[in-house]
Every structure is written in C-alpha cells, then in structure tokens.
Amino acid sequence: MPHSPDDFATYAHARLPELLTTAHLLSGDPGGPREATELVRRTLVKVCARWRRIPRDDVDFYVRRSLVKEYLRRARRGRTRSARQRAVLVLLHWEGLGEAEIAQLLGCSTGAVRSRARRGLAVCGGDAERLRMLFTEAAKSAKSAESAKSASGGVPFDVPLDAVEQRGRALRRRRRGMVVAGCALLLVPAVVFGAGGFMGAGSADGSGGGASDVAQSPTRIVAPGERVDAVTGVQVWLTTDGKHWSTPEQPNQFRALTGDSDRKEEQPKPGVSAQLDPMKSGFFLSGLYRGLSADPARVEVTVDDRRITGTVLTLAGSPGWGVWYARTPLTPEELKSSSVDGGPTVTVYDAAGKVVARGGADE
C-alpha cells in the first residue's frame, strides 16, 4: 500500500534521533556533528523522493539501507577502506540486527558479514560487550554535545525537515521527467510498427491492460529445455534441475536449483540470488528465486541509485522456483560504482507489493 506525503514528515520526525545517532557511530564524526547531520539529510532527501514507492512493511529496511549506502559512498570518496567493516559492527552491535538481516541490507552473503564482524571485533580487542559500551558512550557524548549547543543557542544536529521535503519532491519531479522522456523515446518504434505489436501485452479481446504505478515484471512460462533469447548473444533455458545459460564468453553454464553443492530441500526458505556473467558489452544480470509463498509480481534490481525491473522465467506447472534476468546488461562503470555497496541487490515483491525475498550478488 502506498504512503501519503504526510506520512513521510511523521515518520522522519519520529526516527530522526535514532538516525542521527547511527550516523554519528558510522561516521565517527571526525568533523563534529556536521558529518552525521549531512549524512542523515542526504538520506532523508532520497527517501522522500521515493516515499510513495516504498512498501509500508519495508520502510525501516529501506531507510537504514539508504543511510548505510550514503555513508559508504562518502567513505569511498574519502578512501576509507574499513568503512564496510565499521558498518557491520554498528549494525550488529548497536542496531542489534542479525547477520542475515545485515547481509540483505548490504547485499552480500552472511559469510562475508561474519568475516567482517570477526575482523572488526578483533581490531577492537575482541570484546563485544566492551564495543557496545563504547558505542553507548559515543552516543551519549553526541547527545550531550547537542544539549550543550542547544543551551547556548546553537542547533548542531538540526535537520530541517521542511527543506528535506522540498528537495525530495524536486528530486522526484526530476526523476519523473527523466522517465517520461525515456518513455517518449521508447514509443517512437510503436508509431512505426504499430502499438499492438510493439507492446505485445494486450488482452485477449485486443484491449490494453490498465495503467499501474509500478512496473510489473514480464513473466514467461516455458517448457523444459525451451531456449529464450534474454539479450543479444545470451540464451537462458530451464530444466527441472535448475537454470542453464549460454554467453559467447561462457557457453553452456548450469546452476542447480539449490546451488551446485546443496541438497534439495522439501520446503526451502524464500530466497533470491544474483549473478554477473561477463559479456563484451558489460555484464549479464540474472539469478534464481525459490521458496516463495506466491508467484513474483515484480523482481527489482538495485544498482547504486538505479532500479531495473527484471523478466521472470518459470516452468509450466508452477514448480515454486524460477529465474529472473535483466534485459539491459550492466556496464563495467555501473558495476564498479555499485561495488562499494556489495553489488546489485535483488528484491522480489508479490502482487500486493509486499517484499517476499531479497538477496545480493553471489560471493
């Protein structure tokens, strides 16, 4: 269910103290409260711009992920090599998230989270309780500084929500304008070849489907072994054992339903994977989903600040698993830009817009 614009102000006001504290612990505030304040301000502007597209039960995850991504992006510019390790420690020992939740948030494996947590804790003396005490002391120190400045007439942690909403709305309008311009370019072939043939998605009686606020994933049901031309030079086909694909650089590849070394589970947990296969023009994005309670209505890939709607392939008979792929290859520049955030993140939504699975690039 979408949000109303008023919901954002209420949510941001309620969450602001916690966000500022987390931002302070992430950044270490080397330049004083200004660093944490700017981190939260930039995060809330981006959240506001996409507020209506964020499912109600996914808000906290999206906001926390946006905050960490902004921190990692700024840390990359400052060449801070231990930023991801610090993020894992803050999320684990301050936010109280589990390793699986952190892996989803960062778009990496639980093994990578566990490794970074272990190395980071070793640097801090190996005492998790002492680290939590240090975080608590740092949070109290930041709040004391805020109170002292407020008493003297200053507002060190001021995040003007009115200005944030204005910037967020402006960013949303700009993105909407870019989408409209892109759609106008795409519709040019429809004028030449005929709208019906170009769209290829009318109803049986020839009438088009209703408009939707969110792009749904095209879904194709295939027979075992039926080959599908995903993008130029890449074919994908399914068998009852899993996914097959072929690129000029990597012909006749195969991935089992539960992984090459995993045994099949009778009732697998919901999950989705993402993998990158090199091509001359970039990287082919695809993956497996399984264990869902309902068929996926939308598979969305997040690459840095870009969102890509995937195409879904499944075998006839609804086997409970399937394959997604992106029609546009990922360029080396986009891959490099997203690497600081753990690479592409894949989110699967059901027909009601609820998140049913989330995963990241295979490691």
Side-chain angles (χ1 to χ4, degrees):
M1 181 181 292
H3 303 277
S4 71
D6 293 338
D7 290 341
F8 172 78
T10 302
Y11 178 88
H13 187 274
R15 290 276 286 141
L16 190 56
E18 297 174 32
L19 289 173
L20 284 167
T21 300
T22 301
H24 174 78
L25 296 178
L26 284 171
S27 64
D29 253 355
R34 181 169 51 188
E35 181 75 16
T37 302
E38 181 64 10
L39 189 57
V40 172
R41 188 190 69 80
R42 287 177 172 271
T43 297
L44 290 179
V45 166
K46 292 180 179 180
V47 170
C48 180
R50 291 174 173 158
W51 184 247
R52 295 176 182 175
R53 297 179 58 192
I54 304 173
R56 287 186 182 275
D57 61 348
D58 205 33
V59 177
D60 287 340
F61 175 90
Y62 185 88
V63 172
R64 187 179 283 116
R65 182 175 183 273
S66 297
L67 179 68
V68 173
K69 283 185 66 175
E70 185 63 32
Y71 159 67
L72 293 173
R73 187 175 293 109
R74 293 169 72 85
R76 178 179 57 181
R77 290 199 295 266
R79 300 185 184 279
T80 306
R81 299 185 63 183
S82 61
R84 290 183 70 80
Q85 186 170 282
R86 186 181 185 93
V88 168
L89 292 178
V90 170
L91 293 171
L92 185 64
H93 296 291
W94 175 256
E95 294 280 330
L97 302 184
E99 291 176 348
E101 292 177 279
I102 298 172
Q104 287 187 331
L105 191 144
L106 294 178
C108 64
S109 67
T110 54
V113 170
R114 194 175 300 117
S115 176
R116 290 189 178 104
R118 185 171 56 250
R119 291 197 302 267
L121 193 59
V123 172
C124 298
D127 189 339
E129 187 59 34
R130 181 173 179 273
L131 179 60
R132 283 190 284 270
M133 289 178 60
L134 290 175
F135 281 153
T136 301
E137 290 172 6
K140 288 181 178 178
S141 176
K143 290 178 181 178
S144 296
E146 178 184 7
S147 299
K149 271 296 184 91
S150 298
S152 63
V155 279
F157 288 97
D158 181 41
V159 179
L161 293 181
D162 289 342
V164 164
E165 287 191 85
Q166 290 177 4
R167 290 288 302 275
R169 287 194 293 268
L171 181 59
R172 182 167 61 243
R173 287 194 296 270
R174 186 160 65 248
R175 287 174 174 167
R176 188 180 299 156
M178 293 173 65
V179 171
V180 171
C183 289
L185 292 174
L186 288 174
L187 287 173
V188 172
V191 176
V192 179
F193 297 108
F198 175 72
M199 300 303 292
S203 61
D205 60 1
S207 61
S212 173
D213 293 334
V214 178
Q216 300 296 297
S217 288
T219 300
R220 179 169 174 176
I221 300 174
V222 296
E226 179 182 347
R227 299 205 173 203
V228 174
D229 293 318
V231 298
T232 303
V234 178
Q235 286 190 324
V236 180
W237 63 100
L238 311 182
T239 65
T240 55
D241 291 327
K243 165 193 172 188
H244 303 252
W245 71 100
S246 179
T247 70
E249 287 75 19
Q250 293 183 319
N252 299 318
Q253 299 296 301
F254 171 69
R255 173 151 295 188
L257 174 58
T258 58
D260 292 333
S261 61
D262 296 338
R263 289 183 297 180
K264 292 185 178 180
E265 304 172 11
E266 292 183 3
Q267 294 181 332
K269 294 181 180 179
V272 59
S273 67
Q275 63 191 67
L276 298 160
D277 294 293
M279 301 172 58
K280 287 184 179 179
S281 57
F283 294 87
F284 176 60
L285 275 170
S286 64
L288 280 161
Y289 69 84
R290 64 190 183 94
L292 307 186
S293 57
D295 292 334
R298 178 164 58 107
V299 177
E300 186 177 80
V301 188
T302 304
V303 182
D304 201 12
D305 284 334
R306 179 186 175 198
R307 293 193 171 196
I308 303 169
T309 299
T311 295
V312 174
L313 291 181
T314 184
L315 290 172
S318 299
W321 65 276
V323 166
W324 67 268
Y325 66 86
R327 290 182 178 273
T328 304
L330 187 66
T331 67
E333 291 76 16
E334 288 173 321
L335 178 62
K336 182 178 180 181
S337 176
S338 69
S339 63
V340 70
D341 301 321
T345 299
V346 186
T347 306
V348 183
Y349 299 86
D350 63 13
K354 180 180 179 181
V355 177
V356 292
R358 180 180 281 112
D362 295 347
E363 296 193 359

